Amino acid sequence: MKQRWITFDLDGTLMQNPFSKWVFPEIAAAVSDLLGKTHDTVTALTAEHEQRMRLGRYVEAYDWDEMLARLCQELGIVKPVDVEELVHKHNVTPKVYLLEENIPQVLQTIKAYGYSLAAVTNGFYKYQAPVMQTLGLADCFDQVITPEKAGTGKPDPAILHLLPGEVVAHVGDRLDHDVQLANRAGIHSVLIEASLSERVRALHPCVRLGDREVLQLCLRKWRKEHRIGQDIAEMDLPKEVKPAFVISSIQELVMLIEEWKGG
């Protein structure tokens, strides 16, 4: 029987990695120490990352060690730290954590419905695997797909081509990476958004996008992801990034899967 897959983003969807609060600040401090003055290293690295994403250089956009080495060369200093080593250094709780305590159990429940599970992430394997292991996620997935393995990254649907069989749905927290990937691939796009109000949570996940509150939330998310400054009231959410389902927790995904299986 053909394998049926449900794929998941990692950062912001299932787990919190140590980059923003721990790895990047230590990189910035190390670079500034070598220069003998404060340097906004994080902004420089982020700008290079965003430029590469705009150009469709998805693999290079997440090679933080290479981007740091290039920046240090431009600054005339020796690269002071290894990003992979910093991930291992800060890969401890509470610096890394699950976004929902019961995620491993819910993932195993989904597998019990007959689905194979894959983590499809834009983070390199060397940065993601240690955190997944620490948080008990590594054994939940049948495959972990990363840009350097696939030769591309989200939102390019080609990143899913390494999975044999049929991909049914992709779950993630970003419109530009995750929802757009799923819509381009012609599979269920599931946006996870923990901040949904109790009123919205009472609605079925497939009709939530029709609610004004959720639409405004998605517009704000889209504006933030693309650094768009105009009033969101003047914007239309592009069709390619409209999620088919909006959930507030991974637990709600189980309800959807029960419906998909029944259908």
Side-chain angles (χ1 to χ4, degrees):
M1 187 171 64
K2 181 169 63 174
Q3 271 184 289
R4 304 185 77 214
W5 294 85
I6 295 178
T7 63
F8 293 82
D9 172 54
L10 290 175
D11 302 314
T13 297
L14 302 180
M15 70 185 201
Q16 176 62 56
N17 68 41
F19 270 84
S20 61
K21 290 187 177 180
W22 303 98
V23 174
F24 284 148
E26 186 162 341
I27 291 171
V31 170
S32 294
D33 284 347
L34 280 180
L35 290 173
K37 61 180 180 180
T38 300
H39 186 270
D40 196 348
T41 302
V42 177
T43 296
L45 289 173
T46 301
E48 178 63 21
H49 160 76
E50 292 177 349
Q51 173 68 4
R52 294 182 181 194
M53 286 297 291
R54 284 192 294 270
L55 295 174
R57 295 161 56 189
Y58 300 132
V59 179
E60 297 172 72
Y62 285 88
D63 190 345
W64 296 108
D65 273 299
E66 186 274 332
M67 285 188 285
L68 177 58
R70 183 183 294 267
L71 175 62
C72 289
Q73 185 179 30
E74 293 173 357
L75 295 172
I77 60 175
V78 176
K79 179 171 173 274
V81 292
D82 182 272
V83 178
E84 182 181 359
E85 289 180 1
L86 290 183
V87 171
H88 282 276
K89 174 182 176 180
H90 295 293
N91 179 32
V92 293
T93 56
K95 294 180 180 180
V96 299
Y97 53 88
L98 293 172
L99 296 182
E100 299 175 49
E101 289 185 3
N102 65 337
I103 284 174
Q105 292 78 17
V106 173
L107 294 178
Q108 293 300 337
T109 297
I110 294 171
K111 293 183 78 169
Y113 279 93
Y115 289 98
S116 298
L117 304 185
V120 177
T121 171
N122 276 353
F124 276 23
Y125 187 82
K126 65 181 181 180
Y127 305 138
Q128 300 288 50
V131 181
M132 293 178 68
Q133 191 68 45
T134 294
L135 298 178
L137 290 175
D139 293 336
C140 296
F141 291 101
D142 302 285
Q143 287 206 41
V144 179
I145 307 298
T146 57
E148 80 280 16
K149 287 184 178 182
T152 189
K154 299 182 293 186
D156 182 1
I159 197 172
L160 301 175
H161 291 174
L162 291 179
L163 298 174
E166 176 192 4
V167 180
V168 175
H170 177 73
V171 184
D173 68 308
R174 290 189 63 131
L175 298 174
D176 55 351
H177 293 178
D178 299 304
V179 172
Q180 188 164 225
L181 165 71
N183 288 343
R184 287 179 175 180
I187 63 178
H188 291 313
S189 54
V190 184
L191 176 70
I192 185 164
E193 178 52 60
S195 69
L196 297 182
S197 68
E198 288 298 321
R199 182 189 64 79
V200 170
R201 292 185 190 199
L203 303 174
H204 191 281
C206 72
V207 302
R208 286 173 179 165
L209 189 66
D211 184 83
R212 178 175 175 80
E213 179 183 328
V214 179
L215 178 59
Q216 291 296 304
L217 182 152
C218 287
L219 285 170
R220 286 193 295 271
K221 181 183 289 285
W222 179 247
R223 183 179 66 175
K224 181 179 179 181
E225 290 173 355
H226 286 262
R227 300 182 184 276
I228 299 171
Q230 69 255 41
D231 189 333
I232 59 173
E234 300 175 1
M235 295 174 58
D236 290 322
L237 191 66
K239 181 179 180 180
E240 199 168 39
V241 297
K242 288 183 177 180
F245 304 92
V246 181
I247 61 176
S248 62
S249 71
I250 292 298
Q251 184 64 52
E252 284 193 319
L253 183 62
V254 175
M255 177 188 71
L256 289 178
I257 288 170
E258 290 174 347
E259 294 182 3
W260 298 339
K261 293 287 284 188

